[in-house]
Amino acid sequence: MDSARRQLYLRRLGLATWRLREDGDVNDIAPEPVSGSSEPLASSVQAAPDPVAESPVADLQAKVVVVQPAVHRVIPTDWGGLRAAVADCTACKLCETRRSTVFGVGSEHAPLMVIGEGPGQEEDARGEPFVGAAGRLLDQMLKTIGRSRTQASDAQAVFIANVVKCRPPGNRDPQVDEVEACRPYLDRQIELVQPKLIVALGRVAAQRLLATDAPLSRLRGKQHFYGANKIPVFVTYHPAYLLRSPGEKAKSWQDLKHIHRQLAELV
Ligand code: URA
């Protein structure tokens, strides 16, 4: 295979290639520029001429998502820009299988932020978090403490978001690289909302927010803090878990009462 074609295959598979500098010093190698452009790989690959379109590599490429390296991303600091960035995101492989991105819902200045794991099938179809069976239970739980996703007034408002904004296929847990790719979006949402209290629903949200791999049993029901501003975080059961284990609802009720009391003190 000639060198130009080999380079094209490697580029199409997302692999960096290396070339000797002009002076031929083997200790002095430099990265091959991508299609002579500073654009992210995604756009340079799409724009490239296609001499191998009929090859097996081209078939493979058609199924491989072109992930935009995180280093190229600028995370907007305003709500409109952030929504648009999430809607267009290709930072991880979940963009390949999603139907919609699921940004979040509720009041942008809510004192309470509730954070789940990631969209399921219904959320993926509708583009809104917690609209399936677990979401209906979450709405009931929030109602017991006088909160609703449709309320704008501080006394009743909540903002609901997820650790990842795209559905993990088959409702599996989000993988580490997916959580990392979505990290700046959730961090920015928290920065914009500036909640007085964050409630983490379940293990994935709790571990992500608290940067720990401790099990849920050690995290639930204790006082934690998120970020430099030390926003209080309370960890409770995920409503999907409560649907599978209704015997735990009594403990969840204790958690809700705690959340209600803590919010009353903080707001
Ligand atoms: N489970 C989650 O963690 N988030 C959703 O949006 C729906 C179900």
Side-chain angles (χ1 to χ4, degrees), residues 11 33-39 44:
R11 268 208 310 279
V34 177
S35 298
S37 139
S38 60
E39 290 282 311
S44 51

Side-chain angles (χ1 to χ4, degrees), residues 102 115-121 123 128-132 134-135 160-164 201 238-240:
V102 177
I115 300 179
E117 178 177 320
Q121 189 173 19
E123 290 78 17
E128 183 172 330
F130 285 101
V131 290
I160 304 172
N162 280 310
V163 167
V164 293
L201 299 174
H238 193 289

Side-chain angles (χ1 to χ4, degrees), residues 5 8 12 18 35 38 52 56 76 116 196 215 217 247 257 262 265:
R5 180 161 286 233
L8 181 61
R12 286 180 151 267
W18 300 81
S35 298
S38 60
V52 290
K196 299 275 188 260
S217 55
K257 287 197 290 188
Q262 197 175 0
E265 283 163 20

